[in-house]
Amino acid sequence: MRPEELKSILGAGLLSFPVTDFDSAGEFEPKGYRKRLEWLMPYGATALFAAGGTGELFSLAPDEYPTVIRTAVETCKGQVPIIAGVGFGTRQAIAYAREAEKAGAAGLLVLPHYLVEADSEGISRHVAAICAAVKIGVIVYNRNVCRLGPDALEKLAAVCPNLIGFKDGIGDLELMVSVRRRMGNRFAYLGGLPTAEFFASPYKAMGVPVYSSAVFNFVPKMAMDFYRAVTDADVATVNHLLDTFFMPYAAIRNKRAGYAVSIVKAGADLVGRSAGPVRTPLVDCNAEERAALKVLIDKLGPQ
């Protein structure tokens, strides 16, 4: 897929990060992963991110990564584009980027680099090196230690024609508006704050109509209903779902660091689509938290 084609696809619609399936011993389970993607595809997500943050990229071994991406691409081929997560230091990110391109991924999402803080120049060089290593489209994810502003992004866009997207997971509204106003239609813009539904309406007002939904993993119908309500400015439906599902959901998610992933895997298990446990350093939700989540899911009705 050409970068401009991917950019066009990302201009509208709901995105999601499928969880990665592990068996009881914590090993990648491709059969379950394929079934998960086959279940999710018909619900209408515009693109799916394989080995993203919710997909536990940070816990995958280098020899597992190509298998995860290849499984996703082969399962979704001709139906839903797969965008592969890449991360860690520059050399490892480039290695993953090339593996993803070889496997047939439509594009890349550059997750924040590993651990060390770096200034804008260093981060820009990191992103530019990844872009130069492949021909497919690249999306940069502003989050945590990766923070690029309009000046840096403008320079990157000038030298990286395949840098086609900007995803925000920081929530600095002044920064987001500055990027959107400076870069105009040069990028596709994606909302990427944890539990993005909380921010979907205000981000749409800023010119960022697309976001990635984690809850699509286990309540895909509701996730799509919420997206359509935001798109249609159906404030009553948006507020109802925020009050009855997302706010109590966030109360569970906020109990422990890392639960943004753990609660999604718990939800998948509760709807009969188990993806196995999370890998350490994350921990799984406890029985009490799972019971509270089940109540929220059951209230939504069949998915």
Side-chain angles (χ1 to χ4, degrees), residues 16 77 128 152 201 245 296 299:
S16 187
K77 188 174 182 179
S201 293
F245 180 83
L296 298 179
K299 286 180 179 178

Side-chain angles (χ1 to χ4, degrees), residues 20 22-24 26 56 252 255-267 269 274-290:
T20 300
F22 302 131
D23 62 22
S24 58
E56 296 181 74
I252 303 169
K255 288 191 172 184
R256 287 196 186 191
Y259 262 17
V261 177
S262 304
I263 194 172
V264 176
K265 278 207 159 176
D269 185 41
S274 178
V278 294
R279 285 178 171 176
T280 53
L282 301 184
V283 296
D284 288 301
C285 295
N286 63 34
E288 181 181 351
E289 293 156 349
R290 286 169 55 89

Side-chain angles (χ1 to χ4, degrees), residues 21-286:
D21 288 68
F22 302 131
D23 62 22
S24 58
E27 300 297 322
F28 175 56
E29 211 289 274
K31 184 178 179 181
Y33 191 50
R34 283 193 292 270
K35 287 183 177 179
R36 179 170 318 287
L37 296 170
E38 288 168 352
W39 173 56
L40 291 174
M41 277 191 292
Y43 282 92
T46 305
L48 297 173
F49 295 90
T54 306
E56 296 181 74
L57 169 68
F58 48 84
S59 76
L60 297 178
D63 63 335
E64 293 177 307
Y65 177 83
T67 307
V68 172
I69 303 304
R70 187 167 55 252
T71 301
V73 170
E74 290 173 355
T75 304
C76 298
K77 188 174 182 179
Q79 299 182 69
V80 181
I82 294 297
I83 300 170
V86 299
F88 305 101
T90 305
R91 292 191 178 192
Q92 184 63 67
I94 287 173
Y96 278 172
R98 288 172 172 161
E99 290 283 2
E101 184 174 47
K102 182 180 177 182
L108 305 173
L109 177 68
V110 180
L111 278 78
H113 55 278
Y114 175 70
L115 185 61
V116 67
E117 293 183 359
D119 70 6
S120 182
E121 181 181 352
I123 297 170
S124 294
R125 291 181 183 181
H126 171 74
V127 174
I130 297 168
C131 289
V134 295
K135 295 181 180 179
I136 55 179
V138 177
I139 304 158
V140 64
Y141 194 177
N142 248 30
R143 184 169 176 177
N144 196 264
V145 293
C146 179
R147 186 184 181 99
L148 293 174
D151 292 343
L153 289 166
E154 187 173 42
K155 291 175 183 176
L156 274 170
V159 297
C160 302
N162 60 333
L163 181 62
I164 52 88
F166 176 80
K167 184 172 187 180
D168 179 54
I170 292 178
D172 181 331
L173 300 189
E174 181 179 344
L175 176 60
M176 184 66 246
V177 170
S178 298
V179 170
R180 185 68 179 86
R181 298 307 305 159
R182 176 78 66 86
M183 301 307 300
N185 293 327
R186 175 61 178 81
F187 292 149
Y189 299 92
L190 319 176
L193 287 158
T195 311
E197 282 83 359
F198 278 107
F199 313 95
S201 293
Y203 267 58
K204 178 175 176 284
M206 290 191 293
V208 184
V210 176
Y211 61 90
S212 52
S213 172
V215 302
F216 184 84
N217 273 282
F218 60 95
V219 283
K221 178 181 178 297
M222 187 277 284
M224 291 301 304
D225 288 344
F226 186 91
Y227 170 76
R228 294 187 190 102
V230 171
T231 300
D232 296 340
D234 180 355
V235 177
T237 298
V238 168
N239 288 341
H240 172 72
L241 289 173
L242 286 174
D243 291 342
T244 60
F245 180 83
F246 286 105
M247 292 184 73
Y249 172 85
I252 303 169
R253 181 204 67 196
N254 292 338
K255 288 191 172 184
R256 287 196 186 191
Y259 262 17
V261 177
S262 304
I263 194 172
V264 176
K265 278 207 159 176
D269 185 41
L270 289 169
V271 300
R273 302 281 177 175
S274 178
V278 294
R279 285 178 171 176
T280 53
L282 301 184
V283 296
D284 288 301
C285 295
N286 63 34

